[in-house]
């Protein structure tokens, strides 16, 4: 830390992104990217006019992209906010809808690690509610909570989802606070709550192109909400960086909506590969939480979470391990292609065999 850093950031602990190592080629099951390529339409779109795409500023209103998203999900353009990854939207939501003095924020104690970082960044009082015994989010505890609520649904890193009815109870019981539902993983089999946006002006649903749309590298996220919430987010965006989505990403994002069916078919493949992985790990003695996401969260009594992570890495397979006490026995394993999942299962089996031999 330099002696120039503003005092308010002195004790800030930054988010730790999943590793993106360049030392060798790994089977990468650690940051929930899609194993499938972007659609041909997306690749064609970004190949069209590279000179203008780099020379000119992008459209700050992102009109074409917003229209495509609005049409796909049955909303008006004014209900759509787009930004540089959904992390950006979450960041803006904490800026816009959490007031340090007037109202704090509530989110699950075990969830996407960035929520706590944003709360700390803006000095917002954060109430972190423990998960239930079975690692699900206790929806009841967020009802009438009198704070901004942020919930990943399905939750990360557990993969467990709430039903729309449970989300609605939270939204309806907090009419004077914004409820942000982070649906980064919803396309992999959970119920989306976007339809509730027609009914509740305090609901913001956040989505990303990074997982189900195979575009983590493009950095694009969108949110669906009431017009006033969206206008608030635009105000923040125009007060920080109006050009925060580059031209290539705007083209890619619009083209992806034209190929929506391709992406949903990929999601169905991931769901099938998730079922395979869950069954295979379960038969190796793992406890696998019931996931509606493109990853599984699994632990074994035969090997510690960190030991399994390390041994898999030596074999060229990257998974995600969290040192947080309550989940340190688990690994979060992204669902890739069937071939990748078979390699993972074979490696886990071999590692368990070695561990048994050492006893
Ligand atoms: C991956 C992820 C994000 C971030 O997505 P980007 O659009 O890549 O910034 C947000 N929320 C959750 C829960 C995620 O897992």
């Amino acid at each position: 830390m330099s002696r120039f850093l503003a005092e308010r950031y002195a004790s800030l602990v930054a988010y730790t992104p999943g590793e993106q190592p360049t030392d060798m080629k790994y089977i990468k099951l650690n940051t929930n990217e899609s194993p499938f390529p972007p659609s041909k339409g997306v690749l064609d779109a970004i190949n069209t006019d590279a000179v203008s795409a780099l020379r000119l500023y992008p459209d700050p209103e992102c009109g074409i992209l917003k229209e495509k998203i609005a049409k796909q999900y049955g909303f008006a353009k004014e209900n759509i906010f787009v930004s540089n990854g959904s992390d950006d939207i979450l960041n803006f939501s904490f800026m816009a809808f959490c007031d340090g003095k007037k109202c704090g924020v509530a989110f699950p104690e075990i969830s996407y690690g960035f929520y706590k970082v944003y709360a700390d960044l803006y000095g917002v009082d954060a109430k972190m509610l423990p998960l239930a015994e079975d690692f699900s989010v206790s929806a009841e505890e967020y009802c009438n909570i009198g704070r901004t609520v942020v919930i990943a649904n399905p939750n990360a890193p557990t993969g467990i989802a709430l039903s729309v009815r449970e989300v609605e109870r939270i939204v309806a019981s907090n009419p004077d606070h914004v409820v942000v539902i982070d649906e980064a993983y919803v396309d992999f089999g959970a119920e989306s709550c976007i339809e509730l946006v027609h009914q509740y002006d305090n609901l913001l649903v956040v989505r990303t192109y990074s997982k189900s749309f195979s575009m983590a590298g493009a950095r694009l996220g969108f949110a669906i909400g009431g017009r006033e919430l969206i206008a608030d987010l635009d105000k923040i965006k125009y007060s920080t960086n109006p050009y925060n989505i580059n031209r290539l990403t705007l083209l890619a994002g619009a083209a992806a909506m034209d190929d929506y069916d391709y992406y949903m078919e990929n999601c169905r493949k991931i769901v099938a590969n998730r079922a395979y992985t869950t069954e295979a790990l379960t038969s190796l003695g793992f406890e696998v939480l019931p996931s509606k996401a493109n990853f599984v969260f699994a632990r074994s009594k035969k090997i510690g979470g960190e030991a399994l992570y390390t041994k898999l890495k030596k074999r060229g397979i990257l998974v995600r391990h969290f040192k947080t006490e309550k989940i340190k026995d688990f690994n979060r394993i992204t669902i890739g292609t069937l071939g990748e999942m078979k390699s993972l299962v074979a490696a886990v089996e071999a590692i368990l065999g070695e561990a048994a031999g050492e006893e």
Side-chain angles (χ1 to χ4, degrees):
M1 188 182 1
S2 80
R3 64 187 194 282
F4 306 108
L5 181 67
E7 206 180 302
R8 62 185 177 279
Y9 301 132
S11 61
L12 183 67
V13 181
Y15 176 71
T16 314
E19 43 185 338
Q20 307 290 350
T22 48
D23 59 330
M24 61 175 265
K25 211 167 156 38
Y26 289 93
I27 294 182
K28 220 177 149 296
L29 307 177
N30 69 325
T31 48
N32 300 341
E33 290 133 330
S34 172
F36 302 112
S39 60
K40 184 169 177 305
V42 165
L43 299 178
D44 288 346
I46 61 173
N47 270 329
T48 47
D49 190 358
V51 172
S52 326
L54 297 177
R55 192 175 65 81
L56 301 173
Y57 278 110
D59 168 18
E61 286 175 22
C62 310
I64 296 172
L65 175 62
K66 280 187 175 181
E67 260 160 33
K68 293 272 188 190
I69 295 171
K71 186 156 169 265
Q72 180 58 243
Y73 294 96
F75 285 87
K77 208 172 86 190
E78 292 72 23
N79 295 113
I80 310 295
F81 178 73
V82 291
S83 206
N84 188 305
S86 59
D87 286 340
D88 218 25
I89 303 178
L90 295 164
N91 179 27
F92 289 171
S93 300
F94 273 80
M95 256 196 242
F97 307 127
C98 299
D99 191 316
K101 295 182 201 80
K102 256 182 6 215
C103 90
V105 62
F107 49 82
E109 178 189 22
I110 304 292
S111 192
Y112 188 37
F114 234 135
Y115 303 154
K116 175 73 167 64
V117 178
Y118 292 132
D120 290 347
L121 183 61
Y122 300 114
V124 174
D125 180 58
K127 186 167 185 171
M128 294 183 286
L129 300 173
L131 298 180
E133 194 93 334
D134 63 357
F135 292 95
S136 65
V137 170
S138 308
E140 204 56 47
E141 293 184 28
Y142 295 84
C143 293
N144 301 298
I145 198 163
R147 288 169 177 258
T148 302
V149 172
V150 182
I151 294 177
N153 192 41
N155 195 18
T158 62
I160 300 173
L162 295 175
S163 68
V164 176
R165 288 301 138 235
E166 287 170 301
V167 172
E168 182 167 12
R169 288 221 312 277
I170 297 170
V171 176
S173 69
N174 290 290
D176 296 324
H177 292 90
V178 175
V179 176
V180 178
I181 302 294
D182 180 352
E183 292 192 348
Y185 300 106
V186 79
D187 289 329
F188 303 101
E191 296 177 13
S192 172
C193 65
I194 56 171
E195 292 307 319
L196 299 179
V197 166
H198 293 294
Q199 225 175 311
Y200 297 95
D201 69 353
N202 62 323
L203 171 63
L204 186 77
V205 183
V206 180
R207 296 280 193 102
T208 177
Y209 277 76
S210 297
K211 279 86 186 212
S212 47
F213 291 98
S214 303
M215 271 172 49
R219 311 306 304 129
L220 186 58
F222 60 99
I224 302 179
R227 287 162 194 247
E228 292 179 349
L229 286 188
I230 299 302
D232 291 342
L233 290 172
D234 265 320
K235 183 170 176 171
I236 301 277
K237 167 172 148 163
Y238 279 84
S239 307
T240 48
N241 180 2
Y243 299 119
N244 69 352
I245 306 176
N246 71 71
R247 286 183 84 100
L248 290 171
T249 295
L250 285 178
L251 292 169
M257 284 298 146
D258 290 335
D259 293 334
Y260 185 81
D261 293 346
Y262 163 80
Y263 293 102
M264 293 308 113
E265 180 57 31
N266 286 346
C267 291
R268 281 189 284 276
K269 290 179 192 162
I270 296 292
V271 169
N273 298 349
R274 182 179 71 207
Y276 161 80
T277 309
T278 302
E279 200 180 300
L281 290 177
T282 303
S283 63
L284 290 174
F286 278 78
E287 177 192 356
V288 184
L289 300 189
S291 172
K292 297 277 188 200
N294 67 340
F295 56 81
V296 290
F297 204 46
R299 66 177 164 187
S300 166
K301 287 205 165 67
K302 296 178 199 155
I303 188 163
E306 184 155 21
L308 180 59
Y309 158 82
T310 307
K311 285 172 192 269
L312 282 170
K313 189 169 178 184
K314 281 204 188 102
R315 289 171 180 264
I317 300 177
L318 272 187
V319 298
R320 186 92 194 254
H321 176 257
F322 299 92
K323 290 191 159 67
T324 312
E325 183 60 27
K326 287 186 180 173
I327 52 170
K328 68 176 183 359
D329 297 338
F330 286 86
N331 276 290
R332 192 193 68 191
I333 304 166
T334 303
I335 303 300
T337 62
L338 189 57
E340 288 174 328
M341 301 330 286
K342 286 187 171 166
S343 301
L344 169 91
V345 170
V348 169
E349 198 168 2
I351 289 165
L352 291 180
E354 282 169 13
E358 282 164 13
E359 276 167 17

